[in-house]
């Protein structure tokens, strides 16, 4: 998933509330940390998918993901939780 890919590439955005990192495949990461280690108990892995074509190819978010997304900072129409996007 996106969260693990960020970790593997030493992308560490923990502690900021500002968007500040753009991945080459069109994702805009915000406030990244993955505090709950992918257990859908936080929204710190919030990502905004900038490429709507790519966003539309993703599986629909589950109700549990949507519940956590509602708590995310600066939620958008193409927001997802990075730990749930494969
Ligand atoms: Fe907590 Fe993704 S790391 S929901």
């Amino acid at each position: 998933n996106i969260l693990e890919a960020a970790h593997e590439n030493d992308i560490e955005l923990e502690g900021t509330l500002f968007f500040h990192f753009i991945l080459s495949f069109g994702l805009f990461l915000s406030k990244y940390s993955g505090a709950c280690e992918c257990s859908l108990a936080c929204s710190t892995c919030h990502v905004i998918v900038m490429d709507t074509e790519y966003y539309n190819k993703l599986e629909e978010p589950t109700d549990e993901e949507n519940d956590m997304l509602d708590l995310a900072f600066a939620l958008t129409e193409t927001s997802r939780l990075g730990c749930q996007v494969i």
Side-chain angles (χ1 to χ4, degrees):
N1 62 45
I2 297 297
L3 181 63
E4 291 166 338
H7 278 163
E8 288 169 8
N9 289 285
D10 295 325
I11 299 168
E12 198 58 65
L13 307 178
E14 187 171 0
T16 180
L17 292 177
F18 299 100
F19 302 143
H20 61 131
F21 194 87
I22 300 173
L23 294 176
S24 59
F25 48 92
L27 292 171
F28 206 26
L29 283 171
S30 68
K31 194 185 167 192
Y32 164 82
S33 75
C36 77
E37 299 180 351
C38 309
S39 62
L40 277 175
C42 74
S43 60
T44 60
C45 62
H46 174 211
V47 298
I48 299 170
V49 182
M50 302 300 288
D51 182 341
T52 52
E53 198 170 309
Y54 177 74
Y55 178 85
N56 291 331
K57 290 180 181 175
L58 300 173
E59 288 188 25
E60 292 287 316
T62 63
D63 289 343
E64 292 81 7
E65 181 180 350
N66 279 325
D67 287 346
M68 277 299 126
L69 277 170
D70 286 342
L71 305 175
F73 174 76
L75 189 68
T76 74
E77 291 292 318
T78 59
S79 288
R80 294 295 305 266
L81 293 181
C83 70
Q84 302 302 306
V85 176
I86 299 173

